[in-house]
């Protein structure tokens, strides 16, 4: 299997060769099934392998993902194809300025025959919720997802209603400088395990996209493209349990903490990584180690996942933004200065 860090092709950091896999036959079957998902998604989505890997890691951690890119880079197609390859129920919500919270979570509806109110489930009651262009809706509607993302439940009229398991939000957003966007509040950004950026494709990839469309590819008909289920929710459940057994040394735990603490003292950042960010980085590194076939986390796993896990949890100072400094560049600087355990 080709190992692809989730940072993106622009700056891979510290990719390590996987050690011989460890675990029983069922665990190995789950690992191979989830590795096959990445190849299956490639039947419909050209390039974007780092984003595919990031989504698989998020599923292993039961974490939510924020996908950012300009319109037309296959963000929606990527999520739909992933759900098809994993046999997961998926629903899509197009976030618009007039979308109401009840349109997402569901609402009480009056039944004239029984003269009672009954709850009508919203699209959030699914396994993989595609929240399309989430930053085009006002903060009030964005906040309707907070309880669902954190508690895996929806409360309507004081009654909590559990969501299906697994429940993952894959939200797409346009870059914040685009007209008509509402920046996500920090409290909601912190609920996302990863923020993955989808760049414009390379020339060769774009030619391949056009070649597929010229040959009759229809993004609305994934079955015709040959996409099939190669993993099941049972594989995903087994993998999630196995990830929790991945060992982490005290030295690597200290490295995760040191990286996060270094962001809080960076002169370019007004907001550093919270302790929740540190636990998220640890969880993502464990999932990447397991997917790579190892039962322990290395410092390189932490480096590989640092940018996608932390880039949305920090905030640049205004003067740094004016100087053209990027969040990823600051995180790279942090990683280059924090001592790596041996």
């Amino acid at each position: 299997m080709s190992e692809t860090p989730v940072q993106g092709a622009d700056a891979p950091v510290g990719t390590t060769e996987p050690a011989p896999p460890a675990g029983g036959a069922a665990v190995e079957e789950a690992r191979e099934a989830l590795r096959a998902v990445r190849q299956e998604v490639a039947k419909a989505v050209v390039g974007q392998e780092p984003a595919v890997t990031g989504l698989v890691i998020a599923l292993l951690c039961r974490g939510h993902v924020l996908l950012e890119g300009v319109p037309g880079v296959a963000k929606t197609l990527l999520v739909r194809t992933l759900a098809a390859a994993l046999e997961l129920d998926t629903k899509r919500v197009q976030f618009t300025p007039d979308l109401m919270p009840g349109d997402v979570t569901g609402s009480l509806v009056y039944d004239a025959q029984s003269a009672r109110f009954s709850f009508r489930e919203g699209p959030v009651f699914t396994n993989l919720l595609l929240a399309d262009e989430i930053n085009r809706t006002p903060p009030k509607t964005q906040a309707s997802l907070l309880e669902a993302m954190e508690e895996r439940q929806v409360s309507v009229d004081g009654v909590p209603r559990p969501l299906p398991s697994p429940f993952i939000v894959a939200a797409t957003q346009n870059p914040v400088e685009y007209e008509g966007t509402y920046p996500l509040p920090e409290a909601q950004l912190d609920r996302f395990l990863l923020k993955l950026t989808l760049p414009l494709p390379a020339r060769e990839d774009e030619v391949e996209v056009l070649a597929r469309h010229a040959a009759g590819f229809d993004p609305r008909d994934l079955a015709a493209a040959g996409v099939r289920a190669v993993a099941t929710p049972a594989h995903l459940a087994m993998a999630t349990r196995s990830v929790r057994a991945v060992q982490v040394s005290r030295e690597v735990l200290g490295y995760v903490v040191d990286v996060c603490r270094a962001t809080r003292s960076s002169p370019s950042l007004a907001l550093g990584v919270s302790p929740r960010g540190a636990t998220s980085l640890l969880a993502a590194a464990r999932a990447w180690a397991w997917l790579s076939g190892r039962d322990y986390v290395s410092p390189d796993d932490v480096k590989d996942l640092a940018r996608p896990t932390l880039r949305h949890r920090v905030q640049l100072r205004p003067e740094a933004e004016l100087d053209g400094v990027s969040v990823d560049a600051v995180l790279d600087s942090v990683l280059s200065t924090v001592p790596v355990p041996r």
Side-chain angles (χ1 to χ4, degrees):
M1 180 189 69
S2 175
E3 296 299 325
T4 307
V6 299
Q7 293 179 356
D10 53 341
V13 179
T15 308
T16 53
E17 291 296 322
V27 173
E28 281 308 305
E29 180 184 340
R31 193 188 336 257
E32 291 306 315
L34 287 167
R35 286 174 172 174
V37 167
R38 299 194 293 184
Q39 283 73 45
E40 202 64 21
V41 172
K43 293 180 180 179
V45 180
V46 178
Q48 309 297 3
E49 289 87 358
V52 177
T53 302
L55 282 165
V56 173
I57 287 174
L59 285 165
L60 291 174
C61 299
R62 295 292 197 266
H64 310 292
V65 180
L66 186 61
L67 301 169
E68 183 177 274
V70 299
V73 291
K75 300 186 294 293
T76 302
L77 178 62
L78 174 59
V79 175
R80 289 179 50 242
T81 309
L82 181 74
L86 278 161
E87 283 188 345
L88 293 176
D89 180 53
T90 183
K91 293 178 183 175
R92 175 179 177 270
V93 179
Q94 179 64 53
F95 281 75
T96 57
D98 60 349
L99 191 73
M100 299 299 291
D103 297 330
V104 179
T105 60
S107 57
L108 293 175
V109 178
Y110 182 72
D111 185 347
Q113 290 185 343
S114 63
R116 300 176 63 181
F117 284 93
S118 60
F119 179 69
R120 180 177 295 171
E121 293 183 350
V124 75
F125 286 85
T126 186
N127 295 127
L128 184 57
L129 177 67
L130 173 56
D132 217 356
E133 296 187 301
I134 190 174
N135 62 337
R136 287 204 180 277
T137 198
K140 179 180 180 180
T141 305
Q142 293 175 4
S144 67
L145 278 177
L146 283 177
E147 182 188 16
M149 294 173 69
E150 185 66 20
E151 306 295 338
R152 264 66 177 185
Q153 68 178 26
V154 168
S155 295
V156 177
D157 198 29
V159 178
R161 293 173 170 85
L163 297 172
S165 181
F167 170 71
I168 306 294
V169 174
T172 72
Q173 73 169 9
N174 297 314
V176 293
E177 62 269 15
Y178 271 52
E179 186 177 353
T181 59
Y182 299 84
L184 295 177
E186 287 80 5
Q188 185 161 1
L189 282 172
D190 210 33
R191 263 49 175 204
F192 288 98
L193 177 75
L194 303 175
K195 178 183 177 182
L196 305 174
T197 56
L198 278 70
L200 289 168
R203 182 181 185 278
E204 295 76 13
D205 289 339
E206 197 163 0
V207 169
E208 176 61 22
V209 170
L210 295 184
R212 292 188 181 188
H213 280 267
F217 171 71
D218 182 358
R220 290 171 292 275
D221 189 358
L222 296 177
V227 177
R228 60 188 179 88
V230 294
T232 66
H235 286 133
L236 188 57
M238 171 65 73
T240 301
R241 290 193 296 270
S242 302
V243 167
R244 298 193 190 106
V246 172
Q247 300 298 309
V248 190
S249 69
R250 191 81 177 179
E251 290 75 18
V252 172
L253 290 176
Y255 181 56
V256 172
V257 169
D258 291 342
V259 167
C260 294
R261 290 178 66 87
T263 64
R264 301 170 200 165
S265 58
S266 170
S268 299
L269 297 178
L271 178 68
V273 177
S274 69
R276 191 209 303 264
T279 60
S280 296
L281 178 54
L282 174 62
R286 292 175 84 179
W288 176 233
W290 182 87
L291 198 61
S292 300
R294 285 177 282 106
D295 61 357
Y296 63 92
V297 176
S298 73
D300 284 330
D301 297 324
V302 177
K303 286 185 177 182
D304 285 341
L305 273 299
R307 290 206 304 182
T309 310
L310 304 181
R311 58 163 60 110
H312 56 296
R313 304 175 194 273
V314 299
Q315 193 175 85
L316 286 171
R317 293 186 182 277
E319 55 269 29
E321 287 190 85
L322 290 174
D323 290 340
V325 176
S326 69
V327 166
D328 283 358
V330 175
L331 292 175
D332 286 343
S333 176
V334 167
L335 290 171
S336 67
T337 56
V338 174
V340 179
R342 297 295 178 185

